[in-house]
Amino acid sequence: MKRFKIPESVLVVVHTPQLEVLLIERADHPGFWQSVTGAKDFLDEPLLKTAQRETREETGLTGAPAQWRDWAVSNVYEIYPVWRHRYAPGVTRNTEHVFSLCVPRDACIALNPREHTAWQWLPWREAADACFSPSNAEAVLLLPRFSG
């Protein structure tokens, strides 16, 4: 039996104290730059655990508890048609919860090559411009408000 993705996810803005943002390029869509994203593995998985798991899986980064911030911001958006087959029939919208992780710029990034092929640090405004997803760009633009 096919296991469908849960339409509740996290977006993690990984950044430095100087507000440089880590963007990663999708392996399945070259040129699509984004922050860490990912869905819950099970319905009652705590959102912070989802954020920590996805960040570790996609970048190798972990972070101490004081480095994590739950922004208490969520976005509901239409799932891109190209990815709707991953969800149960009729599911067209996803709720995305925003978190951040502050790390030093020299943190060791270890991408999962099945998911992402490249990474870069960009100043927050440039990072917002480079994001393919509008909700990701909006989250990056909010970074100065939530980084302090």
Side-chain angles (χ1 to χ4, degrees), residues 15 24 28 41-42 47 50 52 61 66-67 71 75 80 83 95 105 111 113 118 137 143:
H15 66 92
I24 49 183
D28 60 355
D41 269 352
F42 49 92
L47 290 167
T50 304
Q52 292 168 331
L61 297 171
Q67 294 172 277
W71 292 10
N75 304 299
Y80 285 97
W83 290 305
T95 301
R105 192 172 200 281
L111 297 181
L143 178 60

Side-chain angles (χ1 to χ4, degrees), residues 56-72:
R56 184 181 63 256
E57 289 174 3
E58 294 185 12
T59 67
L61 297 171
T62 53
Q67 294 172 277
W68 287 93
R69 184 161 293 188
D70 178 349
W71 292 10

